[in-house]
Structure formats: C-alpha cells, structure tokens
C-alpha cells in the first residue's frame, strides 16, 4: 500500500479536504486488456482514484459497471467511480444495490458519481423517456432519496419514495455499503449546483467545460445551498476533471513541464478549494508523470502554505468564510 508523504497532513484544500489524485480512463472496448492495464497502472504509480465515463448507448465502450467490477478485482487500494453514472439508464434502486455490493466486495473502495443525463437523443434511443433539464434535476434528487434509503439498512420499514419520476413502494433496504460512499454530482447549472450543496458529498465538473470564474461562481452557489440546508460547505468535496499536455516549455494552462502543472493545481486547491484532481488521459507516461512528479509537488506547495498560515479550517485563500 502506498504511504502518503509527511506533507499530506498539511496538504489540505481551501475546503479542508486532503488532496487526492486520480485518472479518468476511456472505457474503450477495442483493447479491453489495455483499458484494465491503465487502471491497474494508476494504482501501481500511487494514484488514489480510477474513474471511467458512463455512456451505455456508446457501442465503442465497455459497460462501465461491468468494467468497474473487473477492475476492483484486479486492484487492492485505489478507489473507483463512474465519472459520472448515467442516471436515466441506471434505475436508482438497482444502482444502489450495485454500488453497495461492489463496495462490499472491494473492501470499501467505490464512490458514486452521478449525472442527470446530457445526450438525450442517444438516451431516448435506448428506450428511456426524454426529460427536460429541470425534470432531470428533479429526477436526480428523487434518485438520491432512493439510493440513500436503500443504503440505510438499519432503518425500520421499506424504502418509500413517491416521486414524480421515481416511485419505490416498500422495497427492502440493504445491503449497506462497506463505507460511507460519496455521492459526487457532475453539475454546471444553478439548479444542479444547488442540489449539490443540499444533498451531495462532492462536486465533479470538468475544467474544459468551465469558463473563467465558473469555479468560484459554482462554489458560491453550492456553499449557499449547503448553508440553507443546515450543512457546512466543507461537507462537499470539490473534485475536478482536468486534461493537458506535458512539454518542456509552458504554452498555456496545463501545457508545460510538471512544475508548471504543480503550481497551477496548487492555485486551484488553495484558491478554489479543489481537493481531488482527476487526469483524463490514456497515456501511461502521463499517468506516471502525474502521479510521480505533479501530485507530490502539489502536495508540498499546498502544505507549505498550510505551514505558513495559521490553521483556521477551510477558506485560507479562497475567500470562503465557511468553506
């Protein structure tokens, strides 16, 4: 098992979360062994998390939940998640049992990324009713109710959710997962961001889909919604999918040497509270460099800030008074 560097106890994002690093691997079925090998490599080089996109309508991809199960059996330490689960094609009561089962089988290494659905032509072609954006958000919130009730195996009585889109009437609860599975939402618009603050454990957008200021604006919506729901903004881990290119000289954001990457990611951790960085790459050399050079440098830069700043919880550099 990989031992964390001494800096890790001080390597906290602006929301007070220990820094974590992961991979975002294409679930290509042209060479299934290579896809699995990249996941195994992610663990071998010391990454914390392996993720795969979930597009069940895409015939070029392996089924994500089957792949996650196979990878869980080939690894022993790394955590696993869909990035993010296509909820319209995954009934929440069944999904809850799938997640809990794999979490038990893997020794508590499964997290649940969730999305409301985006490519509706393809989703509808698979036989599922098309939803509007607002309907998708409401359906997702109902699904979270179903999933959390299913996992609450000690509560008396069956699962009951009488929603507009999901109706569960007395289903037996359980099994409970092996650990407190994080529910991370892929969110960009205000209603999804507010839902993240109210109900989720993490925010998982992609940097390439965000414009200048979008991280700060999204954090503000999440923080306000969390507080209105009686939660702390620190209850929501901030994750970020990233991509870039390693090069000898800097040519733009995340396009340059590992030292440049480290400084840019440290700024995101301290300024925007990002606690988990997930690199989208199918290049084994990129994964090795990200784990071996970038991640330790980011941890050290953030730890140096932590050692030089009085401990005051989250928000040291982000301007989030409660986050």
């Amino acid at each position: 098992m990989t031992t964390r560097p001494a800096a890790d106890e001080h390597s906290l994002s602006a929301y007070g979360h220990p820094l974590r690093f992961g991979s975002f691997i294409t679930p290509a079925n042209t060479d299934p062994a290579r896809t699995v090998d990249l996941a195994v490599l992610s663990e071998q080089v010391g990454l914390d998390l392996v993720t795969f996109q979930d597009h069940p309508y895409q015939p070029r991809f392996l089924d994500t939940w089957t792949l996650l199960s196979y990878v869980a059996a080939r690894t022993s330490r790394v955590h696993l998640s869909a990035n993010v689960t296509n909820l319209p094609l995954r009934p929440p009561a069944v999904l809850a049992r799938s997640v809990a089962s794999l979490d038990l089988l893997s020794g508590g290494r499964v997290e649940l990324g969730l999305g409301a659905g985006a490519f509706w032509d393809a989703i509808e072609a698979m036989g599922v009713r098309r939803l509007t954006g607002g309907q998708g958000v409401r359906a997702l919130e109902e699904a979270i109710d179903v999933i959390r009730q299913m996992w609450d195996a000690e509560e008396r009585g069956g699962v009951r959710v009488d929603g507009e889109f999901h109706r569960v009437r007395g289903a037996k609860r359980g099994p409970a997962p092996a650990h407190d599975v994080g529910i991370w939402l892929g969110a960009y618009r205000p209603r999804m961001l507010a839902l993240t603050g109210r109900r989720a454990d993490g925010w998982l957008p992609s940097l390439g889909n965000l414009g200048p200021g979008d991280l700060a604006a999204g954090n503000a919506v999440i923080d306000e919604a969390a507080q209105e729901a009686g939660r702390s903004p620190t209850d929501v881990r901030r994750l970020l999918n990233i991509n870039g290119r390693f090069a000898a000289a800097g040519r733009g954001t995340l396009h340059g040497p590992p030292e440049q990457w480290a400084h840019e990611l440290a700024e995101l951790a301290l300024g925007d509270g990002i606690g988990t960085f997930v690199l989208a790459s199918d290049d084994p050399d990129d994964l090795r460099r990200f784990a071996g050079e970038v991640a330790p440098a980011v941890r050290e830069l953030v730890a140096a800030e932590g050692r030089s700043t009085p401990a005051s919880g989250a928000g040291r550099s982000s301007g989030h008074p409660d986050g």
Side-chain angles (χ1 to χ4, degrees), residues 31 169 183 222 246:
D31 187 351
R169 298 174 174 141
I183 295 179
I222 291 169
F246 289 108

Side-chain angles (χ1 to χ4, degrees), residues 244-264:
R245 293 187 62 184
F246 289 108
R251 297 181 180 179
T253 302
L254 296 181
H255 188 166
E259 309 84 63
Q260 174 188 328
W261 281 56
H263 280 279
E264 291 174 357

Side-chain angles (χ1 to χ4, degrees), residues 102-122:
L102 188 54
D103 198 53
L104 290 165
L105 289 165
S106 66
R109 295 190 288 122
V110 177
E111 312 298 343
L112 179 56
L114 276 178
F119 301 102
W120 280 100
D121 286 347

